[in-house]
Amino acid sequence: MRMLGAAKAAWRWVRSAPGTYVWLLALLFTTLFLRHLPDNVEERFLGKRSTNLHHLAEDPLRVLFSSAFWLEGGGWLGYLVLFTIFHATAERWLGTWRWLCVVVIAHVGATYISEGVLYEGIRHGYVAESAVNTLDVGVSYGLAGIMGILVYRIVDPWRFVYLAGLLLFYGVPLIFATNFTAIGHMSALLLGLACYPITRARAGTWNPMDLWHSRRIAGLP
């Protein structure tokens, strides 16, 4: 009975965040597909779906959409956890359409900011011209944006602790290993924070201490 109750609760959670789990299902299929490709074929295949400078100049809408459905190097189970913690929580809070707006703003905005910086590096000779064809696919920009907007879901003072953790997590690579992906992740986080107006109509905040109190009531350590 306890397992049945847990299964029902899990299903209710999934149904409350349809966009998140449809996206995850699509990522599962594409990840399994990539596992059956030889390494040299996989790189060329993903390269055609990369939001690099070459493709953004020729066919931006296609690659901006398709790049969000492939995970370079696999790791689907890790994203299952991250999507459940961050994306599903944000979608349940904001609603599917507001959640999707934040994802698109972060994914598209961070892509153009990071690739714009890369373009300037190429133009001034700091980066090799071959970087116009660099591989850039994945879901991490959208995830960073959602992590950013969830700052407004948490009550004070915990939101500042959470925000500090995000800035540290994305800021360290930006300082010590600056590259276009580090710039993209920080840009996506800031774009998520800039989506604050989307949250104004959404009621409800979360206090991390509520989880601790509920565990004590349940007699859990």
Side-chain angles (χ1 to χ4, degrees):
M1 291 297 293
R2 184 174 297 179
M3 291 183 62
L4 180 60
K8 289 181 177 179
W11 177 239
R12 284 195 299 271
W13 177 271
V14 170
R15 288 181 61 189
S16 67
T20 295
Y21 290 100
V22 167
W23 192 6
L24 266 173
L25 185 61
L27 289 171
L28 175 60
F29 287 139
T30 58
T31 300
L32 293 174
F33 173 79
L34 287 178
R35 287 182 181 175
H36 291 85
L37 294 180
D39 291 341
N40 60 329
V41 176
E42 177 182 335
E43 186 173 351
R44 290 199 303 271
F45 182 86
L46 290 177
K48 293 180 180 180
R49 290 150 182 82
S50 171
T51 50
N52 55 39
L53 287 169
H54 175 73
H55 288 143
L56 286 175
E58 290 195 342
D59 197 358
L61 292 179
R62 179 184 65 83
V63 292
L64 284 167
F65 179 79
S66 62
S67 65
F69 291 92
W70 301 93
L71 298 175
E72 184 185 2
W76 184 84
L77 286 176
Y79 279 105
L80 170 62
V81 175
L82 291 172
F83 271 47
T84 297
I85 294 173
F86 296 104
H87 275 299
T89 299
E91 186 178 359
R92 283 164 54 88
W93 174 45
L94 297 172
T96 298
W97 290 110
R98 289 182 177 87
W99 162 81
L100 184 59
C101 283
V102 178
V103 171
V104 171
I105 288 169
H107 175 66
V108 175
T111 295
Y112 273 102
I113 291 171
S114 60
E115 293 294 336
V117 171
L118 184 63
Y119 171 77
E120 288 299 314
I122 295 172
R123 192 166 71 90
H124 289 93
Y126 303 131
V127 182
E129 289 188 9
S130 59
V132 297
N133 292 311
T134 190
L135 183 60
D136 186 16
V137 297
V139 301
S140 58
Y141 292 167
L143 180 60
I146 288 298
M147 288 179 173
I149 203 166
L150 282 174
V151 165
Y152 308 115
R153 180 76 170 91
I154 304 171
V155 299
D156 296 340
W158 302 107
R159 73 173 54 183
F160 300 109
V161 176
Y162 173 70
L163 177 59
L166 290 178
L167 292 173
L168 184 65
F169 181 78
Y170 287 114
V172 169
L174 191 62
I175 296 171
F176 295 104
T178 304
N179 53 46
F180 80 96
T181 54
I183 293 169
H185 287 134
M186 180 57 79
S187 300
L189 174 63
L190 296 177
L191 287 167
L193 290 169
C195 288
Y196 168 72
I198 292 177
T199 71
R200 289 180 179 174
R202 311 312 293 175
T205 54
W206 179 66
N207 187 342
M209 295 302 294
D210 291 342
L211 180 61
W212 183 74
H213 290 311
S214 65
R215 290 177 66 87
R216 288 196 63 185
I217 293 172
L220 297 174

